[in-house]
Amino acid sequence: MTAKTIQDLFVHELSDIYSAEKQLTKALPRLARAASDEELKKAFEAHAEETQRQVERIDAVAQAMDIRVKRLKSAPMESLIEEGRDVIESIAQGPLRDVALVAGAQKVEHYEIAAYGTLCALAKELGQDKAASLLEETLQEEKQTDQKLTVLAEQGSNKRAKAQSAAG
């Protein structure tokens, strides 16, 4: 990355999260298929739809700021998705895999929360109120998704995995 200005940094960070969201759009259906808990499947499916809207929102940010998103591959997201593949391949379908899928999904959400928080701050610093507002909307969605995943884990997956471990 070569950044000489805060604008350059903003474009790079926006490009990275754009790539991350695109990668996630492809990964979420696989996570939904890998989950055994119906509520978790539904959460992954709903987040796939939400993620597509977030990609469209990034397009709106780029248009509002008259910038072009760079074509790059988000290395952090690529790594997090690979971790999800490893979970699917190494843990049998069931409650324990569901716990691992939730853990991985929360890592993704935390990465996105950090990215969108940074982008909001940079957009505000650049005086781009419309872009900041759009990015803030996505930031709040990411925080809500993280909270939903916490509830799914605490009220279901974790308990089922513990019971399965005790029985096995």
Side-chain angles (χ1 to χ4, degrees), residues 94-115:
L96 185 60
R97 182 195 279 177
D98 288 347
V99 170
L101 290 173
V102 169
Q106 286 196 287
K107 289 178 187 179
V108 166
E109 292 310 312
H110 293 187
Y111 169 69
E112 291 177 315
I113 289 166

Side-chain angles (χ1 to χ4, degrees), residues 10 12 20 28 30 60 71 73 79 85-86 88 121 133 150 156 160 162:
F10 180 87
H12 175 78
L28 282 165
R30 183 174 41 246
R71 296 183 59 92
K73 188 161 201 165
S79 178
R85 275 192 215 104
D86 290 347
I88 293 167
S133 177
T150 296
R160 284 189 291 281
K162 183 179 176 187

Side-chain angles (χ1 to χ4, degrees), residues 146-163:
D146 181 53
Q147 187 57 43
K148 289 175 192 173
L149 288 166
T150 296
V151 169
L152 279 173
E154 290 175 351
Q155 294 181 353
S157 304
N158 293 356
K159 291 178 186 344
R160 284 189 291 281
K162 183 179 176 187

Side-chain angles (χ1 to χ4, degrees), residues 24-49 84 88 93-94 97-98 101-102 105 149:
L24 189 56
T25 322
K26 293 176 184 168
L28 282 165
R30 183 174 41 246
L31 296 176
R33 288 189 302 273
S36 61
D37 179 75
E38 279 305 311
E39 290 302 312
L40 183 56
K41 282 181 191 273
K42 288 178 188 172
F44 284 139
E45 290 165 354
H47 196 53
E49 292 174 19
I88 293 167
Q93 188 167 28
R97 182 195 279 177
D98 288 347
L101 290 173
V102 169
L149 288 166

